[in-house]
Amino acid sequence: MENVAAPGQTPASVSTEDQLYRKVTLRLVPFLVLCYVVAYLDRVNVGFAKLQMLSDLKFSDTVYGLGAGIFFLGYFVFEVPSNIILHRVGARIWIARIMITWGIISSAMIFVTTPGMFYTLRFLLGLAEAGFFPGIILYLTYWFPHARRGRITTFFMTAVPLSGLIGGPISGWIMHTFHGDHGMAGWQWLFLLEGIPSVIIGVIVLLWLDDRISHAKWLSDSEKAVLTRNIEAEERAKEDPPIRAAMTKPRVWAMASIYFSFVMGLYGVGFWMPTLISNTGVKDPLAIGLLTAVPNLFAVVGMILISRSSDRKRERRWHLAVPALIGSIGLVGSAVWSGNTWLAIVSLTLANIGICTVLPLFWSLPTAVLGGTAAAAAIALINSVSNLAGFISPYLVGWLKDATGSTSSGIYVLAACLCVGALVALAQPARLVNR
């Protein structure tokens, strides 16, 4: 976003402030992106494991869909308490705790032999990871004012397509290369090797992150003063109602419905993309992994360009609605051309650009309205309720696939959900969200 001098500021001071925020961004955001890449990969790598796991363990698509989605029930149970704890004890310790525990549980997926074990470990993985994403969204509000946060949140959430861009080929390579080594299947090696980085990075979090601006030894006192002044000025303009009041505000629930619709699309694609590509006739896990990188590469570019436009124009609603509709069209195309690999990839690319773009831009809505503990609770509420879509979406697609013999009907439902989210986003008052 291009900055203009506020009252009392000179162009020189604006330039100096831009340099300061660039320094903060380089210190925090790349590391947070790395954290989210390994988090998201541990969440959705079951989509790659499915290519071998179902035949090895004799699981149906419904069992897979329920196991993939049950993660979000555990996530839902502990989301709000986790975010309130983070707000009170600090991000450094709590995010480290989250990452270390989920890395251990993710690696333990190698021991799955029955549907019951599959469901249990996926539920525990959701409990362990609960609070990570909304905690980071809250953490960014401690450092960046709203006018800068749309782009920063987008940079952070490029981790979603980056996890596919990087993790897809790596997941395919692991399953292709290590299958059968030491008596372990490729999907077991996948869970083991992709769980370890979360534990290692969780330990690094303790050394790298600072809970608040005042704790940052890499900032001078004058730099801390500038950052703190900007955050405090913004916080005074926000509502900070009691937690119960914040969680019963109709606008908070309207925003939860928007995000719910978008998450339906996200995890429909996230958990089923390898299968959708496999259904076009591609069977080698490494080839599937390489092909999943294409939609994710373009999604990274789309996210950055559209978020810059949204910040520059200070417009949020249409920047949400249009990509959501593009994502819906892409999903429909992936079902219509399910027998043609390249047309399906083009369609999945459109879908991924649209879906990944709306996710970070959405968070400019609730963080523009609420602050303090109310923001912590509302962000967690929106994320936890919306992530129930992560339970419904893969289970629905799996159930419909077993019932109809095709993934197309499930994909059409997800496309319709994106359209609903676009319409509700447009219904939000521009005066509140376009800042």
Side-chain angles (χ1 to χ4, degrees), residues 36 40 43 72 75 133 157 255-271 331 355 358-359 362-363 382-394 414 417-418 421:
Y36 196 32
Y40 195 79
R43 183 186 298 186
F72 295 97
Y75 204 86
F133 174 76
M157 291 192 68
M255 291 180 182
S257 70
I258 298 170
Y259 203 54
F260 182 94
S261 300
F262 294 163
V263 172
M264 283 288 289
L266 172 67
Y267 289 114
V269 173
F271 286 120
L331 285 178
I355 293 167
V358 297
L359 297 174
F362 164 81
W363 289 106
I382 291 168
N383 197 58
S384 61
V385 170
S386 301
N387 272 295
L388 287 177
F391 168 72
I392 297 170
S393 181
L414 303 184
C417 288
L418 290 175

Side-chain angles (χ1 to χ4, degrees), residues 36-37 40 156-165 266 296 356 359:
Y36 196 32
V37 164
Y40 195 79
F156 167 61
M157 291 192 68
T158 56
V160 173
L162 278 174
S163 69
L165 177 62
L266 172 67
N296 289 297
C356 290
L359 297 174

Side-chain angles (χ1 to χ4, degrees), residues 96-155:
R97 191 283 305 164
I98 289 172
M99 295 193 68
I100 291 169
T101 53
W102 97 50
I104 292 170
I105 294 170
S106 182
S107 292
M109 290 285 291
I110 66 173
F111 300 112
V112 168
T113 56
T114 67
M117 292 176 67
F118 183 42
Y119 300 152
T120 299
L121 284 173
R122 288 290 296 177
F123 180 81
L124 291 175
L125 187 65
L127 278 181
E129 194 184 325
F132 174 79
F133 174 76
I136 298 297
I137 295 297
L138 179 65
Y139 182 66
L140 293 175
T141 69
Y142 300 159
W143 295 85
F144 298 96
H146 182 265
R148 297 178 183 268
R149 208 156 51 237
R151 189 182 304 178
I152 294 300
T153 305
T154 295
F155 285 156

Side-chain angles (χ1 to χ4, degrees), residues 345-410:
I345 291 295
V346 170
S347 298
L348 287 171
T349 298
L350 282 178
N352 224 33
I353 291 172
I355 293 167
C356 290
T357 294
V358 297
L359 297 174
L361 289 181
F362 164 81
W363 289 106
S364 62
L365 273 61
T367 55
V369 178
L370 297 170
T373 305
I379 289 170
L381 174 70
I382 291 168
N383 197 58
S384 61
V385 170
S386 301
N387 272 295
L388 287 177
F391 168 72
I392 297 170
S393 181
Y395 178 62
L396 177 67
V397 175
W399 178 77
L400 286 172
K401 184 176 186 295
D402 279 340
T404 66
S406 169
T407 56
S408 295
S409 55

Side-chain angles (χ1 to χ4, degrees), residues 85-105:
I85 292 170
L86 181 146
H87 183 65
R88 291 176 177 171
V89 308
R92 186 175 63 90
I93 291 175
W94 200 244
I95 291 173
R97 191 283 305 164
I98 289 172
M99 295 193 68
I100 291 169
T101 53
W102 97 50
I104 292 170
I105 294 170

